């Protein structure tokens, strides 16, 4: 244990030589490095937040796409059964409004009937024989549309693809 100094006011400020005070201050280089590190950390956090927000939007759109599919199925079933035209038109208006909201947020529908089959955009559910060679490897029917969100394909279109097999006699 140290013995207290006699005659020294413990509340008095210590006298420090100006050169000693500067030794505790960081230099300009370390301040600049700290500022760059802080700015880099801020940029990382902002990128992470933007990526997280984009991921949440994609998840929300993926959760909403089956609702749009069910509205389409409802319209088709009601139209084929001859249900009340006013109800069908009402559901069609709701469906178009719903799709309009998705489009404003950057969702793009991928329709592909009569286009060449592309495994990057289409999921082949079935293959059917076709009589003409020009229909070979072409989407002959679309069961569900695909959807893009920005540059990313959220869901491939579910399609039926034509397959031509030549008949030799």
């Amino acid at each position: 244990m140290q013995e207290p100094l006699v005659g020294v006011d413990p509340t008095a400020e210590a006298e420090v030589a100006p050169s000693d005070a500067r030794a505790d201050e960081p230099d300009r280089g370390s301040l600049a490095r700290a500022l760059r590190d802080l700015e880099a950390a801020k940029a990382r956090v902002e990128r992470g937040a933007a990526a997280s927000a984009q991921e949440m939007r994609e998840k929300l759109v993926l959760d909403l796409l089956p609702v749009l599919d069910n509205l389409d199925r409802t319209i088709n079933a009601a139209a084929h059964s001859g249900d009340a035209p006013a109800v069908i038109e009402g559901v069609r208006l709701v469906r178009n409004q719903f799709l309009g909201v998705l489009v404003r947020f950057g969702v793009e529908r991928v329709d592909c009937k009569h286009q060449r089959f592309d495994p990057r955009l289409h999921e082949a559910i079935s293959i059917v024989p076709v009589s003409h060679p020009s229909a070979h490897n072409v989407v002959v029917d679309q069961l569900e549309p695909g959807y893009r969100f920005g540059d990313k394909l959220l869901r491939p279109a579910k399609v039926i693809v034509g397959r031509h097999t030549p008949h030799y006699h």
Side-chain angles (χ1 to χ4, degrees), residues 13-162:
E13 292 185 26
E15 290 185 22
V16 179
S19 62
D20 292 342
R22 286 189 194 121
D24 292 341
E25 292 179 10
D27 63 0
R28 288 187 185 270
S30 62
L31 286 175
R33 275 191 303 281
L35 184 58
R36 282 193 306 270
D37 290 347
L38 179 62
E39 288 171 352
K42 179 184 173 191
R44 278 193 306 275
V45 168
E46 287 173 353
R47 281 192 306 272
S52 179
Q54 179 68 12
E55 185 178 312
M56 289 299 293
R57 283 190 295 271
E58 288 174 8
K59 185 176 182 328
L60 175 64
V61 169
L62 274 173
D63 288 346
L64 292 174
L65 290 180
V67 176
L68 187 59
D69 293 335
N70 288 332
L71 285 170
D72 287 337
R73 286 185 195 100
T74 300
I75 292 167
N76 289 335
H80 283 64
S81 69
D83 284 347
V87 173
I88 295 171
E89 186 56 29
V91 174
R92 189 174 280 123
L93 289 171
V94 170
R95 180 237 180 249
N96 289 340
Q97 181 183 19
F98 185 58
L99 181 60
V101 170
L102 292 176
V103 167
R104 281 195 307 273
F105 279 91
V107 176
E108 179 186 351
R109 184 179 167 125
V110 178
D111 286 313
C112 51
K113 196 169 179 181
H114 306 299
Q115 294 180 3
R116 282 249 169 268
F117 175 74
D118 183 348
R120 295 172 297 169
L121 299 175
H122 311 136
E123 179 182 345
I125 301 300
S126 178
I127 296 175
V128 296
V130 292
S131 58
H132 198 274
S134 66
H136 178 71
N137 212 23
V138 171
V139 175
V140 295
D141 199 9
Q142 176 176 287
L143 304 176
E144 282 185 359
Y147 289 94
R148 277 192 182 106
F149 189 51
D151 294 337
K152 185 176 181 181
L153 182 69
L154 284 181
R155 183 179 84 183
K158 293 181 180 175
V159 299
I160 297 174
V161 180

